[in-house]
Amino acid sequence: REEDDVGPLARLGRGQLLLFTPPTVRMLSHLRADTEPFGSSCAIGPSPSLAAIDLPAPDTAFAVELTARAAAAPAFLVVGLGAQNVPLGSGCRSLVGLQLAVNFTLADGGGIARFALPVPNDLALRGVRFFTQGAVWNPAQSPLGSVTLTSGLQITIGD
């Protein structure tokens, strides 16, 4: 038994804490699940926005919701491993670098688009950080002529 063990629920030297909620036992660590907005949006008038639904942890049905502000509008989500700040013109910026995927869906009648980003049950993913930015096809409110952009969302997978 290690000196830093404080009973069956804590292994402080390893940075681990077990959360016991019958019938589930979950290991907690210093790797906290988190989402944080960054950068700025780009639109004429109300801007689209991007928000996380729940927290990104292993074995969760994590998703992000894009408030498109336009019913049935085509909506895109760019997912990447890095952040960038590349000017696109008219004050708009591309905020996601090292792109992994571009997801597409249509906003519902209320102007909301939901993108599922499920996190597999793999503890090795804890601490992985990725970045997202949304785009909505809305020529009437676009300073670029075709799309409006959300601010970015930094996502960290954790406990």
Side-chain angles (χ1 to χ4, degrees):
R1 181 172 150 118
E2 297 177 13
E3 285 182 20
D4 57 357
D5 277 0
V6 185
L9 299 179
R11 294 185 192 126
L12 302 178
R14 296 182 189 170
Q16 298 173 341
L17 179 65
L18 300 179
L19 176 62
F20 182 68
T21 311
T24 305
V25 176
R26 188 167 176 196
M27 184 178 72
L28 304 176
S29 72
H30 66 285
L31 300 169
R32 189 171 65 96
D34 193 26
T35 61
E36 183 177 333
F38 69 98
S40 59
S41 56
C42 174
I44 298 169
S47 298
S49 60
L50 196 59
I53 298 173
D54 207 359
L55 286 173
D59 199 25
T60 61
F62 178 72
V64 295
E65 191 170 85
L66 193 159
T67 304
R69 306 205 186 278
F76 304 87
L77 183 73
V78 178
V79 179
L81 290 176
Q84 65 180 13
N85 193 1
V86 176
L88 299 174
S90 301
C92 298
R93 300 188 173 279
S94 171
L95 300 173
V96 176
L98 300 170
Q99 296 175 1
L100 295 175
V102 176
N103 298 327
F104 167 78
T105 193
L106 291 175
D108 64 17
I112 305 293
R114 184 174 279 193
F115 296 92
L117 300 170
V119 181
N121 190 14
D122 185 349
L123 296 180
L125 294 173
R126 291 179 308 155
V128 170
R129 182 176 295 153
F130 60 100
F131 302 83
T132 62
Q133 182 178 22
V136 178
W137 184 264
N138 189 350
Q141 292 192 329
S142 174
L144 297 171
S146 56
V147 296
T148 58
L149 301 173
T150 69
S151 57
L153 187 63
Q154 174 183 296
I155 299 166
T156 305
I157 299 171
D159 292 316

